[in-house]
């Protein structure tokens, strides 16, 4: 089995994925997509930046839209358990030879910026401004009724290496795809917060962000979003779905924002808090791996992703190919 | 506009589509599909025949499965308003030069057998054995929780002719697809009972039965069926969907039975009882016509259908092509 | 059995219930309720009147709100099959000794005003302005996503008489409640358009309008409305539900508008187009009659109703009592 | 504020609630309720005991039914992070003066039996037999489609004391009800696993188990269960709901098993992994506290509960009264 044992005593305690900053080229177009269509709530905005949160979140934001000339991902951010974890993280990354830096982020306390084994920017913080609950202000619910950010999915040129690195950070594998021929990993799902994943890795040119997922109440909200998008000018932004994933068993839809950043709408995976949860193995050639109902993903889904601003990518060293829609 | 005015004074009063008899080659396999998987209820069965009804129906059956050497469709059956309509129908078809015959059908009163303008067998009856209601016996609900038969869809080599013939019978067009170039009909949806259709016609080699549709409570029942079929050996029987139709606005799924007879699972179209309801026109090249969300149907969906036992087919004389999945 | 045989050859052809005019005392408050909360669409409005339609309707309106000093119901309106039915209706009501009058109604063709056996104002028309379809303009869907008006329910001091009168008009009974002791009807559901009812009668001081019902896509839309109403100042307007009716098997919620007019949100009853559909009998003391799940309706539900403007009421002559919540 | 600060460094690491053993008087009747109606899966059974798991669980059981002369609750069981936590727990409880005992439990590793501050039996284990995943065996889904055990709710004669004790164990308060007059707690919801609660406390004669909750996919599954129970002889076992809780925002239904043990069917609360999540305060007199939609709970809900076998109860010392249905 190509999956390392879970690391139950990581060097510092990452609580969960927290938020991501997207570089976008047209702030008004992005606002129309994320606020008017998806239904995320604006918590602050000016000419350069829009801060957004989902309906059950009390932290100030889960998504930051930054006006830029070129689309890109500025960083993936994680919340740690308590302030002292930040110092442990600082020392660990430094000892590993990764650049570390204390940065200022609005609405956040002390924040550490570093990067993963591929150079993808990671940020860690312990405290963010807390806002009043809005999960029972039902007049504000709109679009797909997004409840919370759920996970990141990244392209990695070598998924075995990614899993090894993130295992050291304490992420635990819940499901994975193996290439039968080489015995190597083709994809892997890893969590901290007790769901199927906080982050997943997919074989491909990387590091790149494949998608960011938001949790919604039920599959019917995803159907509502499809109806809305397809009758408000966004039919070409629907890339894949709806469907049930084989992996994770979740109900999904993939859509593209105006800059091509991919968003997954996601619900109904399962609880994974047990440290002795056995990872579920899938074969790359299993047609029900991607979609339980058998529909293959389109080529774009395997090829397109968002680069991290200023970070070089390299091609995958694993040639194995999944099932792709004709 | 290529649609004839509705005929509000038809020669006899057809109430609704009622049932269909499928020739199937393996009665046990068909039973597993229709009863154990879809959830239709057996109302009678022997070694040759299985009678089925859906959950809210009180007539004895909406689907008859007949053991045969070759799969095929034996007839489409319609219920008329009262007994005297049968005689009017008899005389009208006879005057039109169609063969007419009084046939015996179990569980039915007097039954007229004739055929439409293409030779597809049509049967008419006014009385069928009535069974106890089971719509509140929730322990019997199973599979996709089918509530009632909703419509037939047939391939026709000339849809303009089909619409003209069925308009004479009092079927009223609710939506239609026009080929922009020739101005001819490519498809049409026609009703008697106050929904989007009792029968539809699709351009293609015909007459053949394209599919038979069953109404279910909500889209979530369709998702349940997909989960069930894809984990009980029926993943290859899922042909198209789920999705929202542009035409009819209904939520749909197309599946194939063990003999390749196509079944649609369908819900949430709209009420059409007004005689002055304006038909909605769609262009053949509109990508949202088939699926509001933009996904094209696969080639099989345009090509495969079930022949009527003993009835010759002819190719369509309209070459126009819809959008087909690559 | 206390139910008369269905009248399959009525004196004129009523197609379906069409709309109702509510006298309301505060047009702005009513607009907030019907438009901002329920999600009906304004098709015209001025200082005196608001016209509303539901999402799948193409007729100009299903609800008219009229500014008045006192709340009341101005009329219940029905659409007939074709213009000539109006004249047949005129003659029939006149021959029955009911007052008849041709009245002007905006957006409608020729309109007959008369009243039923109790003096409740009925109006009949054959033609109303047709509007563009909006059922696929999903950006307009709001609140409970009302699709169409479904039925009226009226208090009648003698339900046997009401059923007899409406049977003569061609309404057919689908379900009914009998008082075991007297053998008399306590309530009855009657249809024209092929659902469980266009109009129902409930024993009580009448004629009064008990409620007007709107059809919505699924029970989840009703849950959404409950969440919305209970967090936007309407918690006291929730009277009964949600629940599944024993009678009709529909999923329901009863709410009160700012003037106390009762609205039912309703979905998932069954098709009733067969003229030989056997009415379903319920006993008044069956606790699952009102709510399949056993919860009794509150006293207000049995006592409160909206009077028809200018029409005298009389008390019921049937003393039998249903199960009422303590 | 009557809520103590969360204890982020508890003496040992409790992962989550795990399972409960119910003493039941008629094993066949209980099986019919839990297996045939709710849809839990039998993982082992004999004449004395039935072991059950929910659909997404891989541990051997979440509910044990034990044939007994008198109904009662034998213990509430919790899973700890790793084996060494058991020893820490043993030492902590012993130092607190609680009885401690290593007990044998089938399908479990080393198990510690002790009790809480009121004498309610608690058991802790770290390892249970792991079973094959069945969450994608959709043919097994049945009844309400229970996915996992979610929480316990207990009557406590002094909720302030209960919160203090469980806070020392590391349970964190997410929501609570305060009696305005006395400033004392009337109820409190506390979690370990990242949802609204693993255990809650309600003011009343205790210790008693108020209910055990199971998580289901969507509110529609709860409606399905209501339809099923009300037509299979269980209408009197429906105690309260369906509704949306004010507290937790979850959708709920309360039902009673054949011995009167109360089960909650529950879904759609929110994620609570942040250690700085601010508890939400509710006033005891807020009518939307129990049910967001305003419906009060019946008296039985406040009074009835299951005693722990062999454990004395005492009456509450807080006289404050919630809103109770008439
Ligand atoms: Ca009709
Ligand atoms: Fe994902
Ligand atoms: Fe169809
Ligand atoms: Fe009603
Ligand atoms: Fe609970």
């Amino acid at each position: 089995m190509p999956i390392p044992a879970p690391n139950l005593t990581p060097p510092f305690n990452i609580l969960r994925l927290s938020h991501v900053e997207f570089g976008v080229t047209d702030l008004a177009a992005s606002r129309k997509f994320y606020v008017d269509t998806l239904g995320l709530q604006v918590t602050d905005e000016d000419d350069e930046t829009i801060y957004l949160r989902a309906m059950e979140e009390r932290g100030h934001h889960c998504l930051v839209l930054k006006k830029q000339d070129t689309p890109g991902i500025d960083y993936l951010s994680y919340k740690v358990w308590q302030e002292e974890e930040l110092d442990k993280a600082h020392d660990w990354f430094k000892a590993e030879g990764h650049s570390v830096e204390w940065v200022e982020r609005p609405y956040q306390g002390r924040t550490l910026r570093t990067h993963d084994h591929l150079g993808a920017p990671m940020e860690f913080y312990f405290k963010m401004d807390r806002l009043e609950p809005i999960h029972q202000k039902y007049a504000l619910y709109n679009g797909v009724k997004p409840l919370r950010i759920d996970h990141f999915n990244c392209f990695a040129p070598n998924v075995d290496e990614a899993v090894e690195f993130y295992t050291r950070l304490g992420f635990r594998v819940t499901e994975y795809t193996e290439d039968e021929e080489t015995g190597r990993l083709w994809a892997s799902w890893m969590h901290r917060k007790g769901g199927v994943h906080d982050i997943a890795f997919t074989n491909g040119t990387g590091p790149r962000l494949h998608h960011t997922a938001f949790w919604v109440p039920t599959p019917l909200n995803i159907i509502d979003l499809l109806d809305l998008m397809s009758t408000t000018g966004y039919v070409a932004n629907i890339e894949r779905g709806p469907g049930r994933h084989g992996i994770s068993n979740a109900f999904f839809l993939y859509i593209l924002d105006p800059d091509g950043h991919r968003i997954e709408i996601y619900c109904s995976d399962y609880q994974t808090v047990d440290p002795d949860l056995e990872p579920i193995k899938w074969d790359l050639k299993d047609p029900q791996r991607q979609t339980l109902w058998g529909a293959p993903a389109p080529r774009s889904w395997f090829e397109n992703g968002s680069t991290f601003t200023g970070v070089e990518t390299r091609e995958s060293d694993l040639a194995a190919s999944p099932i792709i829609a004709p």
Side-chain angles (χ1 to χ4, degrees), chain A:
Chain A
M1 174 166 116
I3 292 296
N7 173 11
L8 300 184
T9 53
F12 57 100
N13 187 345
I14 299 173
L15 196 60
R16 60 174 176 89
L17 97 155
S18 167
H19 59 281
V20 55
E21 183 173 296
F22 284 180
V24 300
T25 57
D26 180 339
L27 215 46
S30 294
R31 194 185 199 285
K32 185 162 172 286
F33 182 81
Y34 287 105
V35 178
D36 301 342
T37 305
L38 293 199
L40 290 168
Q41 303 290 310
V42 175
T43 56
D44 193 16
E45 63 183 324
D46 60 23
D47 289 356
E48 299 286 306
T49 317
I50 300 177
Y51 293 89
L52 300 166
R53 72 160 154 164
M55 300 311 296
E56 74 171 48
E57 293 171 334
R58 302 204 211 150
H60 184 272
H61 51 267
C62 64
L63 178 58
V64 183
L65 304 175
K66 201 81 170 183
K67 174 82 178 79
Q68 294 180 358
D69 291 341
T70 317
I73 306 303
D74 295 333
Y75 54 79
L76 307 181
S77 188
Y78 299 87
K79 181 175 169 95
V80 298
W81 174 245
Q82 287 190 279
E83 182 164 12
E84 66 224 45
E85 307 299 323
L86 288 180
D87 298 304
K88 294 186 204 166
H90 173 275
D91 296 351
W92 188 86
F93 277 101
K94 196 169 167 192
E96 289 288 317
H98 292 226
S99 67
V100 288
E101 185 186 3
W102 297 105
V103 293
E104 296 287 322
R105 294 285 173 243
Y107 308 107
Q108 272 174 225
R110 207 147 62 96
T111 301
L112 177 72
R113 182 180 174 93
T114 179
H115 58 77
D116 73 5
H117 66 297
L118 290 168
M122 303 180 85
E123 296 194 0
F124 298 98
Y125 76 94
F126 79 104
K127 197 168 100 175
M128 182 186 278
D129 279 15
R130 307 291 294 182
L131 303 180
E132 282 297 296
I134 52 171
H135 64 275
Q136 290 184 329
K137 293 192 184 303
Y138 281 100
L140 298 179
Y141 280 72
N142 200 12
V144 76
K145 303 189 177 177
L147 295 183
R148 58 179 181 268
I149 192 169
D150 189 81
H151 63 265
F152 302 129
N153 186 313
C154 291
F155 278 122
N158 184 314
V159 173
D160 293 274
E161 283 173 17
V163 167
E164 196 211 334
F165 182 79
Y166 280 83
T167 293
R168 294 176 67 203
L169 296 182
F171 289 81
R172 307 203 295 269
V173 174
T174 54
E175 309 207 16
Y176 64 98
T177 302
E178 195 178 311
D179 171 43
E180 198 91 319
E181 262 174 73
T182 59
R184 285 186 47 194
L185 287 174
W186 199 86
S188 182
W189 286 255
M190 305 181 80
H191 87 97
R192 285 294 301 166
K193 69 178 180 298
V196 170
H197 51 323
D198 290 76
I199 192 162
F201 299 96
T202 299
N203 183 62
T205 300
R208 287 183 300 160
L209 184 61
H210 187 277
H211 65 261
T212 303
F214 292 92
W215 184 277
V216 296
T218 77
L220 283 184
N221 301 102
I222 293 181
I223 291 168
D224 286 344
L225 180 65
L226 282 156
D227 290 335
L228 181 65
M229 288 183 65
S230 61
T231 56
T232 53
Y234 288 112
V235 71
N237 297 57
I238 300 169
E239 187 188 33
R240 177 186 166 202
R244 165 101 48 215
H245 283 306
I247 289 166
S248 81
N249 201 38
F251 197 85
F252 71 86
L253 172 72
Y254 293 94
I255 55 178
L256 302 171
D257 90 353
D259 287 289
H261 299 313
R262 187 182 288 107
I263 298 294
E264 182 179 16
I265 312 297
Y266 181 92
C267 66
S268 61
D269 70 3
Y270 55 89
Q271 197 178 89
T272 64
V273 296
D274 289 4
D276 53 356
L277 188 84
E278 303 83 352
I280 296 176
K281 174 183 167 179
W282 294 81
D283 186 71
L284 184 56
K285 297 300 186 196
D286 182 342
Q288 296 190 261
R289 184 189 75 90
Q290 303 171 7
T291 308
L292 191 66
W293 310 335
R299 181 164 299 277
S300 64
W301 196 88
F302 294 103
E303 295 188 347
N304 300 345
S306 300
T307 50
F308 291 98
T309 307
V311 179
E312 293 291 302
T313 63
R314 68 170 214 260
E315 282 185 21
S316 166
D317 49 18
L318 175 60
S321 177
I323 299 168
I324 299 175

